[in-house]
Structure formats: C-alpha cells, structure tokens
Amino acid sequence: MILPLQQHPHYRQALRRVGATVTTADIPGAAPVQVIKRFGIAFAPRGPIWTAPPDAHALRTAHLRLINSNGGDRQALRKAGYRQIMTPATVAELALSTDQDVMAAQMHGKWRNIWRGAQKQPFNIKSTPFDALVHQWLLDADLLQQREKRFRALPHSIIKAYADIAPDDVSVWTAARGNTPIAAMLFLRHGGCATYHLGWTNALGRQSRAHHRILIAASMSLARSGVRQLDLGSVDTYHAPGLARFKLGCGATARQLGGSWLKIF
C-alpha cells in the first residue's frame, strides 16, 4: 500500500519524539488513520487512505474533527457531516523505475534535454544517510533560503527524529565539484513511497542543472530499493512556477488532493 508520509508509522514515531500527541483511529475500509491532536482537536493529515470505497457511516463514527483529505472521498465526507473549509492542494507524484530509458520516456522534451546535458557537467554525485552533524550545513542553508524566500517547511527536528527511528530511510544526495557542494536534495522513504523533502543549490549548481541529475539518480536508486512512487510535494504554479515546471517536467503527474474538511454535525 502506498501511504503518504503523513500517514506512515515512521512519521508518527518521529512526531512523538518531538513531543506531539499522535494516535491512530481505526476506520473500516481504510488503513489505520494517524491523528494529530492539537488544542483538543483531532486532525488527520492526508487521510484516510481507503482500501475500499469511502464509507460515510465509518467517517461519521470516527470522531475526527478535522480532515485534510488525500482525495477521492468528497461525497462520503459531505454525507458524514463534514464541510470543506480549504480548497485542495495539488501534489506531483513520480512513478519510479530502475530502467533509465523508462524514466527518460516520462520526461518532457526540454527537461530531458537539460538532464542529458547535466550528465556531461564536471561534478560528482554521492548519496549518504542523513547525519545531523555531517549535514548541518544543508540544514543551515535550508533555513537561510526559507527566510530569503519567505516560506516555512517541516521543522528540522522532525527530520532528525525520523533519521533516528529509520536511519536508512533518510538520504542526502549531494552534487559537488571537488569537495565543494553545489547542490543537494534530501529524501524520506516511507514504505513503497518516498518524499522529496528539501533541496538546495547555489549559482554553480543552477548553472550546471545539478538538481535534474540528482533527482533521476536518486529516483532510480530508490526504485532499486523497492520504492514505486516519489512524492515531489505541492505544485504551485502561481507562487513558484519555476519549481512547478521542474517537478512536472521530470514526468510527474499532478494530482489534486481532497482539501480540508471540518466536522459540522
């Protein structure tokens, strides 16, 4: 079963390590739903993940106040007494393969040409398990770009907790010229799926198109380990059109989630 990061047991354990209150709710026809309790409100992020047709009666009796739906259960949510309070986000999901030709066939033409050109650039790529001390430089660079670009991401404490729980499931892929990093990407694996969590590059990395090469190298490595799908995160064509083109250009499919729903009655 493909579980989004927010519904995987490793994520629950990581949240608990940083002090969050996380429980699970059993809903017939769905995988166990991970529930975060905030200010007394039970919140299900990216859930439920249905294994059968969505069931309004099961939702009604689940005692979940707020649901950020993974999608496909709008009608059941309405029947269960929920009302939508936020419009759906869109995520990019990339099907993975160990065959480079299959990966290349999914790419848009311009993206594929850039990727092929990046393979000729004089930089090396290596992958290492995340280490809080070794990779502090990447976390510092990420905090700086968050301030500069005015966005917020998952706290680094959760990344560190996740790596403590599943050290083989947090990997950092770095492109470097000599010993100097020019780009990096961090991935979290969760069962048969993985999530691209953060990336950084400098001017030389952008000029060399290092992220194109890193993404495909990491994708094929993840595929060899049994991962079937890579979640590239949200697609925002208005606020971040360049990032959206990068995510969709590699061959990812845009999928609309279900939006946020509040239990009214």
Side-chain angles (χ1 to χ4, degrees):
M1 182 183 297
I2 295 292
L3 293 175
L5 175 64
Q6 297 85 344
Q7 286 297 316
H8 195 272
H10 288 346
Y11 189 71
R12 178 179 73 242
Q13 295 168 33
L15 288 179
R16 286 176 175 172
R17 282 206 173 204
V18 299
T21 301
V22 188
T23 60
T24 58
D26 292 325
I27 298 180
V33 182
Q34 299 195 156
V35 181
I36 302 171
K37 289 192 175 181
R38 296 175 179 169
F39 309 108
I41 296 176
F43 166 59
R46 292 286 299 270
I49 305 302
W50 296 97
T51 57
D55 187 331
H57 176 72
L59 281 168
R60 185 182 293 277
T61 57
H63 304 295
L64 298 177
R65 185 66 189 278
L66 184 62
I67 291 176
N68 177 232
S69 168
N70 193 56
D73 51 5
R74 175 185 296 268
Q75 185 175 359
L77 284 162
R78 285 196 175 278
K79 288 182 178 179
Y82 290 84
R83 293 297 177 264
Q84 189 171 344
I85 59 173
M86 288 187 66
T87 56
T90 298
V91 295
E93 297 172 337
L94 179 64
L96 302 189
S97 173
T98 59
D99 188 328
Q100 182 171 279
D101 291 339
V102 172
M103 296 296 297
Q106 298 182 115
M107 303 171 190
H108 293 194
K110 183 177 180 180
W111 205 101
R112 182 166 51 246
N113 290 338
I114 292 173
W115 166 69
R116 285 174 173 163
Q119 295 183 77
K120 302 174 184 177
Q121 293 293 321
F123 61 82
N124 298 315
I125 295 177
K126 68 175 181 178
S127 170
T128 56
F130 173 79
D131 183 294
L133 294 178
V134 173
H135 296 114
Q136 186 61 47
W137 68 269
L138 176 58
L139 302 183
D140 291 341
D142 180 55
L143 288 177
L144 179 60
Q145 69 183 359
Q146 287 188 44
R147 289 195 295 270
E148 291 177 342
K149 298 178 181 179
R150 297 182 181 181
F151 72 93
R152 296 181 65 183
L154 194 70
H156 293 163
S157 58
I158 297 179
I159 299 173
K160 294 175 181 178
Y162 200 102
D164 287 341
I165 293 161
D168 293 334
D169 290 342
V170 185
S171 59
V172 175
W173 288 72
T174 306
R177 283 196 177 182
N179 295 320
T180 304
I182 62 172
M185 302 177 85
L186 184 147
F187 299 87
L188 305 174
R189 175 176 172 167
H190 37 102
C193 188
T195 293
Y196 160 60
H197 180 64
L198 67 84
W200 164 87
T201 187
N202 60 17
L204 184 55
R206 283 188 290 272
Q207 180 183 348
S208 303
R209 307 290 191 161
H211 274 171
H212 288 71
R213 190 166 147 192
I214 291 175
L215 179 59
I216 300 306
S219 294
M220 294 180 62
S221 177
L222 288 165
R224 287 192 291 271
S225 72
V227 175
R228 293 174 287 158
Q229 178 177 289
L230 178 61
D231 185 337
L232 292 171
S234 61
V235 175
D236 187 340
T237 57
Y238 182 77
H239 293 101
L243 184 56
R245 286 193 296 270
F246 174 80
K247 292 178 179 181
L248 297 178
C250 71
T253 299
R255 183 174 72 85
Q256 191 178 69
L257 302 179
S260 295
W261 296 72
L262 181 67
K263 185 72 175 293
I264 302 298
F265 60 87

